[in-house]
Structures are given as C-alpha cells and as structure tokens.
C-alpha cells in the first residue's frame, strides 16, 4: 500500500495541470490486532480490527473472544468490559514469571509468551531548561534504579499530560504526551537516566495552534511511569517507531497471524509533577 501511495504522490508532484484527483487507496484485508499486558496492576487485553486509510474513527475494542492468561501456577479467564472495550482481570503479575496468552476470536487462535522482569525504582523526576547550542529546550529528567545491573534490561516510559489551559484542554487528556523505549546501555552502573525533550522555548513563545499538543502550559500536570519489559516487547515498540516512515508493520510476538503484542511488565509510577514557567535553567557546555 505504501508503494502505491508513493507512486501516486510522485505523479501529483510532476503534473502541471490543476484538477481534483480522487486517490484510490489499494484495499487490504482486515486483520485482528491484539494488545495485551499482565503487570503488577492487573491483566488487560484489547482486541480490534485494522481500519482503512480513509476511516478516521478508531476501532472499538471487540467482544466475543475467549481470552486467558496463564502461568505454571494459575490460569485466569479475562472478562470483557463493554464500557471500556477491554478484557480485564485484577489478578496481578509476579516478577520472574513467564505468562502465556491465549485468544480465540472469530474462528482463529492466537498465542504469545512474555516473562515479567523485576521492577525499577524511580529515584527523581524534574523539569529543567537546557541551553543546547542556540536553542533553549525544556527537558523532563528522570533517574531510576536498574533492577538487574549485571544484565541487559529494557524499558518503556510514558508521560501523560493533564491541562486546564483553554488551548490545551481536552488535548492529550489520558493519552501519551511522550513515550519511547530504550535499554540500559550507556547508563551509570545500577542507574537509569532519561532526558526527555518536551518543547523548545521558541515553540512555547510562538504558541501556534499546530503546536498546542506539544506545549506545556503553566500548571500542567505530568504523570510519568516506567515499565521494565522483556526483549521481544522492546523489539515490537522499536520496530513500531522505525517502521512508521516506511509504513512497515512492527514485529509482533503473537503467533496466529495478527498484529500487536503481549507484554508481562513491571510498572513503577512517579508522583505527579507540576510544570511551572519559573522552572530553573541548567547550563550545558
């Protein structure tokens, strides 16, 4: 599909005449997508269908599946919640345990496994302004402990923004403001450090509408959490990031021909942090 779209855009650029052109996107088979997690906060699975490029509405979580998550010690059948569209159980995961996901849906069977790592401990979080060459950038700095310093560990972080500013209200509410995955290479022994760039001073001052999703306003609240994930889940999110430009599907760890991932992960949440425009500046040389 990406190849055909690229050809179409090239033709548009090379055509001198002006007329309306209806782009006929190549159709693709509808696929099942599964996003599943077992964490120290419970078990959660959402099942959707892929949608066409012309369809702007997000696919709701679909009912009708049999979803179980099991380990050597127990098997849990998840219950569908019509209000959220998710399959859920309050059963929490235990670090060091390997969990098996089984989904039967629309005549197909899907399976995955994931091992839950030990949790990290968030040591500190704060906003700082940094001078980088000619730019002044706002960063969210995070320090955390490495749960197993002698082995390679993999992490996913997420920042959510809550705002009451009229220009930001209802934007990013309950959605990720920033997220990414990384591993512990290059970090100090036993410690994890992340420097998450939020915005430049210029963007904040110009306050253009197209940047409202990225601008932090005085009094905005940031909720941050850090997940320790296993290697296959890290590969899924890394390939998701890398493949966005090439329209490639990420590497799923679920068998059976669906998209998505299954993750057994340890979550650590930081205390809420309030952003103030008086945040102090940190000089970088």
């Amino acid at each position: 599909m990406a190849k055909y779209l690229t050809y179409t855009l090239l033709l548009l650029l090379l055509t001198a005449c002006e007329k309306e052109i209806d782009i006929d996107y190549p159709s693709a088979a509808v696929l099942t997508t599964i996003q599943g997690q077992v964490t120290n906060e419970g078990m959660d699975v959402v099942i959707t269908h892929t949608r066409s490029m012309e369809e702007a509405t997000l696919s709701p979580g679909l009912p009708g599946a049999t979803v179980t998550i099991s380990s050597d010690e127990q098997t849990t059948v998840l219950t569908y919640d019509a209000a959220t569209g998710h399959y859920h159980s309050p059963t929490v995961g235990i670090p060091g345990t390997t969990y098996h996901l089984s989904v039967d849906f629309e005549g197909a069977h899907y399976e995955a496994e994931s091992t839950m790592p030990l949790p990290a401990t968030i040591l500190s979080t704060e906003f700082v302004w940094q001078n980088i060459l000619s730019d002044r950038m706002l960063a969210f700095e995070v320090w955390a402990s490495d749960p197993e310093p002698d082995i390679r560990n993999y992490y996913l972080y997420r920042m959510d923004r809550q705002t009451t500013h009229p220009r930001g209200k209802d934007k990013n509410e309950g959605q990720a403001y920033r997220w990414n995955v990384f591993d512990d290479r290059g970090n100090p022994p036993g410690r994890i450090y992340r420097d998450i760039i939020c915005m430049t001073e210029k963007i904040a001052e110009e306050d253009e509408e197209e940047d409202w999703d990225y601008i932090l306003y005085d009094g905005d609240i940031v909720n941050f959490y850090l997940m320790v994930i296993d290697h296959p889940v890290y590969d899924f999110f890394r390939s998701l990031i890398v493949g966005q430009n090439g329209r490639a599907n990420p590497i799923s760890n679920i068998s059976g021909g669906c998209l998505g991932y299954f993750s057994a992960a340890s979550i650590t949440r930081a205390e809420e942090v309030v952003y103030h425009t008086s945040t102090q500046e940190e000089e970088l040389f």
Side-chain angles (χ1 to χ4, degrees), residues 184-200:
D184 53 13
R185 287 176 294 182
N187 284 271
R191 292 289 185 268
I192 297 298
Y193 173 73
R194 284 290 95 183
D195 201 11
I196 305 166
I197 300 300
C198 298
M199 62 182 183
T200 66

Side-chain angles (χ1 to χ4, degrees), residues 231-241 250-253 260-261:
H231 196 179
V233 176
Y234 169 84
D235 286 341
F236 170 84
F237 284 105
R238 281 299 303 165
S239 62
L240 175 65
I241 295 169
I251 303 169
S252 176
N253 65 340
Y261 71 95

Side-chain angles (χ1 to χ4, degrees), residues 153-224:
N153 287 303
Y154 303 90
Y155 303 87
L156 182 150
Y157 70 78
R158 171 167 163 158
M159 295 173 62
D160 291 344
R161 181 187 72 164
Q162 300 177 34
T163 183
T164 57
H165 193 283
R167 293 181 177 176
K169 190 171 178 57
D170 298 328
K171 291 181 178 290
N172 292 320
E173 293 287 349
Q175 299 179 359
Y177 170 72
R178 292 286 186 272
W179 73 271
N180 210 333
V181 290
F182 64 99
D183 60 40
D184 53 13
R185 287 176 294 182
N187 284 271
R191 292 289 185 268
I192 297 298
Y193 173 73
R194 284 290 95 183
D195 201 11
I196 305 166
I197 300 300
C198 298
M199 62 182 183
T200 66
E201 187 176 46
K202 181 179 180 181
I203 286 177
E205 290 176 346
E206 293 179 349
D207 200 17
E208 299 289 345
E209 183 175 357
E210 60 266 26
D211 297 322
W212 288 353
D213 286 357
Y214 310 103
I215 296 173
L216 289 174
Y217 296 97
D218 191 73
D220 282 2
I221 298 172
V222 165
N223 294 283
F224 178 88

Side-chain angles (χ1 to χ4, degrees), residues 34-49:
I34 298 174
Q35 300 176 68
Q37 290 186 343
V38 50
T39 72
N40 49 312
E41 298 180 351
M43 299 176 175
D44 186 87
V45 174
V46 59
I47 302 172
T48 60
H49 284 150

Side-chain angles (χ1 to χ4, degrees), residues 17 116 178 263:
C17 60
M116 186 173 178
R178 292 286 186 272
S263 172

Side-chain angles (χ1 to χ4, degrees), residues 46-116:
V46 59
I47 302 172
T48 60
H49 284 150
T50 55
R51 55 192 174 89
S52 67
M53 295 184 68
E54 298 94 336
E55 177 58 54
T57 305
L58 294 177
S59 300
L62 300 172
T66 300
V67 180
T68 61
I69 296 178
S70 60
S71 65
D72 290 341
E73 289 74 29
Q74 63 180 4
T75 298
T76 303
V77 179
L78 279 63
T79 302
Y80 181 74
D81 181 355
T84 63
H86 289 216
Y87 297 82
H88 180 75
S89 170
T91 304
V92 299
I94 300 173
T97 303
T98 298
Y99 290 92
H100 178 84
L101 171 71
S102 175
V103 175
D104 289 291
F105 181 64
E106 295 183 337
H109 181 72
Y110 308 100
E111 292 187 2
E113 278 192 350
S114 183
T115 300
M116 186 173 178

Side-chain angles (χ1 to χ4, degrees), residues 230-271:
D230 65 5
H231 196 179
V233 176
Y234 169 84
D235 286 341
F236 170 84
F237 284 105
R238 281 299 303 165
S239 62
L240 175 65
I241 295 169
V242 172
Q244 284 179 341
N245 291 334
R247 301 293 192 268
N249 290 327
I251 303 169
S252 176
N253 65 340
I254 304 176
S255 66
C258 72
L259 303 178
Y261 71 95
F262 172 62
S263 172
S266 296
I267 299 177
T268 303
R269 296 184 182 273
E271 294 184 1

